[in-house]
Amino acid sequence: MSYLEENLYTKHPLKFKNGKFKILCISDLHGVVDFDTRILRDLAAILDSVKPDLLMVLGDIVWRDAMDSPENMRKFVRPVFELVEKRKIPWAHVFGNHDNECVGHANFSQQEIYEEFEYNLTKRGPGEIHGIGNFVLPIRSGNGDDIVYNIWGIDSHDSLNDFMKEFNLGNPDNKWDKQCVYPTCLHDWGAGYDTLNFDQLMWYWNSSVELEKYAGHKIPGLMTMHIALPEYVITYKNTAESYYEGTRREGVGCSPINSGMFNAILDRGDVKTVVCGHDHINDFTGSFLGIKLCNDAGLNYDGYCADDLRGGRVFEIEESDPWNVKTYMVRSKDTVENYPGECIRVSQL
């Protein structure tokens, strides 16, 4: 099956400007109906500081009562993404584990709301594979149509509990963690989060091959998802070898089951950078086998976060050398006056 036509399409074309392209990644907004409006202040300040060519939102956009209905969801996402829309910044998103927890307002329904925004570029992805929002956004040359870089979006799903409960690992005597249904021996390699499905790996592989044939050359890329790959653990356990930088204040919330996605991108040789959300107080980066693995901390006031880390991660790409990507954090504390300030909720305005 060919995915080329869908993969080449974007609602608004993405192109290098003056030989450069800048991506801002934020995540874990954890929006509620009566949200803390400081998130609007922070996002506006960061957008104006970075001036990105593309905003990527890496999941957990809404939770709690904002997931109860489309009407409640709009009460958060409209004021937030209108900040992006009025600046005419193209943006896209992947879903997170909390986005997936919604009952009666699932991701395909949430996706309809995001598609209402003019500058949202997220594509639902092939209906025959697992997840909503498996897509690729090609970035083309400033002076032509050649694809210089690809942005990959992957739906990393939510909890592994249902899978584990169904199979119970074939061992009724297993000791289970009190919060997550998985063997306690796997604590050091992640939490009870889901893994990617094989059909997602095959979609990425086949799409990557098709795009390379179309372009006539291998296309470097950035892969975005919410839940980290298990290889993230290797980077902080081998800091000297992994060029480890940044802050880790919580364990990597990955799946204990390795999907094989890291091996797939290693074999394809096009994706050289991966970025994830999910871990709100981690912003570290590290390299493993030539692939840079990045976190972006969180940007919320209605979940847990850290005042000194809150912000987003920037990726700068040069058209003349797209294989070497520069990345760094931009923080609220460096862009917002009188930070962090006092909470003012929507109901107080």
Side-chain angles (χ1 to χ4, degrees), residues 301-347:
Y301 287 90
D302 288 302
Y304 72 95
C305 220
D307 288 344
D308 61 328
L309 299 183
R310 185 179 286 112
R313 178 166 290 281
V314 177
F315 296 90
E316 294 184 355
I317 308 159
E318 298 279 349
E319 184 174 354
S320 60
D321 187 14
W323 292 98
N324 293 310
V325 176
K326 179 182 178 182
T327 185
Y328 54 90
M329 288 292 300
V330 174
R331 306 187 194 281
S332 296
K333 69 182 180 68
D334 299 322
T335 56
V336 174
E337 293 184 7
N338 303 316
Y339 176 81
E342 298 296 324
C343 169
I344 301 176
R345 298 202 170 272
V346 172
S347 61

Side-chain angles (χ1 to χ4, degrees), residues 20 31-32 36 47 52 58 65-66 70 74 80 82 90 168 170 183 190 208 231 238 275-276:
K20 301 180 184 298
V32 295
D36 186 330
L47 289 173
L58 307 183
D65 60 350
R74 287 188 178 94
V80 168
E82 281 172 0
N168 201 28
S208 173
E231 284 77 10
N238 301 273
V275 62
C276 299

Side-chain angles (χ1 to χ4, degrees), residues 51-255:
K51 295 180 173 57
D53 298 299
L54 175 70
L55 173 69
M56 285 297 305
V57 187
L58 307 183
D60 279 6
I61 303 171
V62 294
W63 72 331
R64 295 181 177 171
D65 60 350
M67 298 191 301
D68 290 347
S69 67
E71 294 73 26
N72 276 0
M73 180 179 167
R74 287 188 178 94
K75 290 177 182 178
F76 177 75
V77 300
R78 280 203 176 280
V80 168
F81 292 112
E82 281 172 0
L83 293 175
V84 187
E85 293 281 309
K86 76 177 185 179
R87 290 166 172 79
K88 297 183 179 180
I89 299 171
W91 61 282
H93 69 282
V94 292
F95 287 109
N97 56 294
H98 286 294
D99 299 304
N100 269 307
E101 290 170 352
C102 196
V103 177
H105 181 37
N107 284 359
F108 68 86
S109 178
Q110 296 176 43
Q111 177 61 24
E112 292 178 352
I113 293 175
Y114 292 121
E115 289 177 1
E116 294 171 1
F117 291 94
E118 172 62 25
Y119 287 92
N120 180 265
L121 306 186
T122 306
K123 295 178 271 189
R124 298 188 185 200
E128 68 273 10
I129 71 172
H130 286 83
I132 302 293
N134 299 291
F135 62 89
V136 60
L137 300 174
I139 306 173
R140 298 179 184 270
S141 170
N143 297 318
D145 289 329
D146 184 41
I147 301 175
V148 178
Y149 202 81
N150 282 326
I151 309 295
W152 298 87
I154 302 292
D155 185 350
S156 57
H157 314 302
D158 52 7
S159 173
L160 197 61
N161 287 1
D162 292 339
F163 175 88
M164 289 293 193
K165 287 176 182 176
E166 180 179 356
F167 293 97
N168 201 28
L169 297 186
N171 184 0
D173 297 324
N174 249 325
K175 294 181 179 180
W176 299 95
D177 179 82
K178 292 181 180 179
Q179 294 181 338
C180 296
V181 184
Y182 69 103
T184 55
C185 66
L186 294 176
H187 269 286
D188 205 34
W189 285 95
Y193 296 108
D194 206 348
T195 189
L196 303 179
N197 293 83
F198 183 71
D199 56 10
Q200 292 176 280
L201 274 64
M202 288 302 299
W203 168 80
Y204 154 69
W205 183 279
N206 292 330
S207 295
S208 173
V209 170
E210 275 195 320
L211 286 166
E212 180 180 353
K213 291 179 179 178
Y214 172 85
H217 59 86
K218 197 175 290 289
I219 306 168
L222 167 70
M223 183 171 285
T224 69
M225 62 187 74
H226 182 68
I227 297 173
L229 300 174
E231 284 77 10
Y232 271 65
V233 177
I234 295 172
T235 64
Y236 75 77
K237 286 184 174 291
N238 301 273
T239 56
E241 296 86 353
S242 67
Y243 304 98
Y244 177 93
E245 295 180 344
T247 303
R248 183 183 70 88
R249 295 182 185 163
E250 62 180 319
V252 173
C254 60
S255 175

